[in-house]
Amino acid sequence: MSERLALHGGEPVRTRPFTSGKKVGKDELKELVDVIDSGELFRWSGTKVGEFEKEFSALMGRRYAVASTSGTSAIHVAVGMVDPAPGDEIITAPITDIGSVIPIIYQTAIPVFADIDPETFNVDPADIEKRISPRTRAIMPVHLFGNPCDMDAIMEIGRRHGIPVIEDCSQAHLSEHNGRYVGTIGDIGTFSFQMSKHLTAGDGGVTITDGEEYGVRGMLFADKGWHRAQFGPRSYTLLGLNYRMNELTGAVLLAQTRRAREIVEARRKNGDLLTQLIQDAPHLRPQKVLPGCKTGYWNYGMVVAPNAPFTADEFAQAMGAEGIGCGAHYIGKPIFLCHDALREKKLFGGSSFPFDHPNARQVHYTEGICPTTEDVLNRMVNLTMSEFFSTDDIEDMAKAIHKVTRGLA
Ligand SMILES: Cc1ncc(COP(=O)(O)O)c(C=O)c1O
């Protein structure tokens, strides 16, 4: 006999609030005090942004780290590093934040979306390969919810076609793929430090690479193209923006970088425990983590089975009634359908640029071009995951999942 669901007037599994905590504290304060004491808020006159770049690149084992103001700017810096021409294409993922897509368009390139693998929710390498054209200038997989993409297959495709790979690790700080951190497998890796991310300064970003040409180009791109080593008349060597991180942000991220492993491991322990506790829950499947990979559970993604006796909305509503906040459908639709102006290809002053550039191929952003993505989003449900949750919190989440999947069946 299943217990009566809270949705139907039964006792909720959880009435107490979940364990929470502050993401910043005395470590960040100490670094911030240094900045205020020094009076230097600008990265080129202070030290914290430089120290952050040095420590983050050392943690990642990459030669170059370019700090910037957001995950979106970090991706723009990466796109600036590969330097597409108008009408060139960058293949990316259809389940992501619009911050993965905007920089491609601002750099006059065209986003092309590969469909996903229904189990990992990440771009399917075989579908990436199908969408490669003579204009493909980069491949940009997104490690969704911290779950590493199939990087062996993606790198093999990139290398075979001579196309660089940019990893969007905005949600995947210190996620691992066969013993390597994501962001260090492709040619370039990008990270967001927006408030919801594992490491945060409210907003911020960083782009990492081992390639000297990319590293130097990225630093210039984020600093208006200004070659500061050269004195005398100003020398702007490329078209760039001011994406410079300031010292206050750098100070916070320096402290966060030093705690990165601890933060990610705590969250991973919680997510892995939940996976273990719900493995036999019927009609529900957690996001599959590939063998040899470790996710960081930016959030906890699952899909309701195609023939389940309940929908994603019904599951989320029943979980909510049990006192466990649960979202349904994540971004709702493939990202290209979420942006009206992109769908209509009218982005700059009502023109169709760059889609009407003579070098551009015709692309369409319509329903049906990524069918697996649409199906998975229809069935997707997400739970919040946090490094602050206690074992007791995770056990209650699991209890509610078992109760709801039985009770709705
Ligand atoms: C996968 C992904 N890419 C890019 C971004 C953009 O990052 P930001 O919001 O820091 O600009 C985000 C942030 O939500 C993201 O989750």
Side-chain angles (χ1 to χ4, degrees):
M1 253 264 307
S2 59
E3 293 166 84
R4 193 153 169 224
L5 293 178
L7 191 66
H8 303 144
E11 197 66 34
V13 168
R14 181 79 180 205
T15 47
R16 285 175 296 122
F18 277 77
T19 316
S20 62
K22 273 207 301 194
K23 293 203 54 106
V24 288
K26 59 179 181 10
D27 300 340
E28 287 74 14
L29 195 58
K30 183 182 157 297
E31 302 300 329
L32 282 166
V33 167
D34 284 353
V35 175
I36 300 296
D37 281 348
S38 76
E40 298 292 355
L41 304 180
F42 178 50
R43 73 153 297 171
W44 295 120
S45 47
T47 58
K48 297 296 179 188
V49 176
E51 281 179 63
F52 158 67
E53 288 175 336
K54 205 160 148 222
E55 294 202 17
F56 193 83
S57 54
L59 175 67
M60 288 288 140
R62 295 270 98 171
R63 285 168 70 205
Y64 299 92
V66 179
S68 62
T69 51
S70 68
T72 305
S73 64
I75 292 168
H76 201 171
V77 170
V79 174
M81 285 174 176
V82 302
D83 196 23
D88 278 353
E89 296 168 11
I90 296 185
I91 299 177
T92 190
I95 307 184
T96 188
D97 178 80
I98 197 70
S100 310
V101 181
I102 292 167
I104 298 174
I105 298 164
Y106 265 93
Q107 210 52 31
T108 75
I110 291 181
V112 169
F113 297 91
D115 209 352
I116 60 161
D117 174 284
E119 299 199 20
T120 65
F121 314 160
N122 280 328
V123 270
D124 171 10
D127 204 73
I128 291 177
E129 182 139 35
K130 277 193 217 149
R131 305 204 191 218
I132 288 177
S133 83
R135 298 227 64 91
T136 307
R137 190 67 188 86
I139 299 169
M140 189 170 76
V142 176
H143 304 293
L144 191 70
F145 309 147
N147 190 29
C149 295
D150 183 353
M151 288 308 295
D152 288 340
I154 293 171
M155 291 311 293
E156 192 278 321
I157 292 167
R159 294 290 177 258
R160 187 153 37 80
H161 291 269
I163 299 169
V165 174
I166 300 168
E167 295 176 76
D168 179 350
C169 312
S170 297
Q171 305 180 352
H173 303 183
L174 273 60
S175 289
E176 291 179 33
H177 181 278
N178 294 332
R180 289 169 72 183
Y181 288 137
V182 299
T184 69
I185 302 158
D187 301 271
I188 303 167
T190 75
F191 297 80
S192 160
F193 301 116
Q194 179 270 335
M195 191 71 217
S196 69
K197 304 304 178 346
H198 301 72
L199 313 184
T200 186
D203 263 318
V206 72
T207 311
I208 59 171
T209 185
D210 245 7
E212 185 175 350
E213 205 178 310
Y214 286 154
V216 172
R217 232 192 122 73
M219 188 59 87
L220 291 168
F221 190 87
D223 194 14
K224 298 188 270 194
W226 186 352
H227 212 301
R228 287 174 186 270
Q230 293 165 10
F231 291 100
R234 290 222 184 155
S235 172
Y236 299 102
T237 52
L238 54 80
L239 181 65
L241 293 110
N242 179 356
Y243 279 150
R244 290 187 305 255
M245 183 180 281
N246 70 54
E247 284 288 285
L248 297 167
T249 305
V252 172
L253 287 173
L254 184 58
Q256 295 266 301
T257 300
R258 291 174 180 162
R259 286 208 309 280
R261 286 200 177 95
E262 190 189 309
I263 295 167
V264 174
E265 271 159 27
R267 197 184 278 226
R268 182 172 294 148
K269 182 167 151 268
N270 280 337
D272 285 349
L273 174 62
L274 184 60
T275 302
Q276 192 193 320
L277 294 176
I278 64 167
Q279 57 187 332
D280 55 351
H283 313 298
L284 201 62
R285 189 171 44 71
Q287 182 178 27
K288 179 179 170 185
V289 182
L290 292 174
C293 292
K294 291 183 186 173
T295 175
Y297 298 102
W298 178 65
N299 75 27
Y300 195 91
M302 299 176 279
V303 277
V304 169
N307 51 358
F310 51 85
T311 64
D313 290 303
E314 286 164 346
F315 176 82
Q317 200 193 1
M319 287 290 286
E322 298 298 337
I324 317 284
C326 179
H329 314 302
Y330 186 41
I331 58 171
K333 298 180 276 193
I335 194 72
F336 51 84
L337 296 179
C338 296
H339 195 298
D340 293 345
L342 174 63
R343 219 178 41 226
E344 288 158 23
K345 299 194 215 134
K346 293 264 182 272
L347 292 160
F348 296 102
S351 78
S352 296
F353 183 80
F355 302 98
D356 60 356
H357 189 275
N359 290 339
R361 286 187 324 132
Q362 276 299 308
V363 291
H364 300 285
Y365 303 124
T366 51
E367 273 176 30
I369 63 168
C370 291
T372 306
T373 302
E374 289 180 29
D375 172 49
V376 165
L377 284 171
N378 279 339
R379 294 187 287 112
M380 187 180 283
V381 285
N382 294 89
L383 298 173
T384 301
M385 191 43 71
S386 161
E387 58 271 28
F388 298 114
F389 286 171
S390 65
T391 302
D392 188 47
D393 294 331
I394 301 293
E395 284 170 353
D396 276 351
M397 289 167 94
K399 216 180 283 173
I401 288 172
H402 283 290
K403 183 179 170 190
V404 165
T405 48
R406 278 197 312 267
L408 289 178

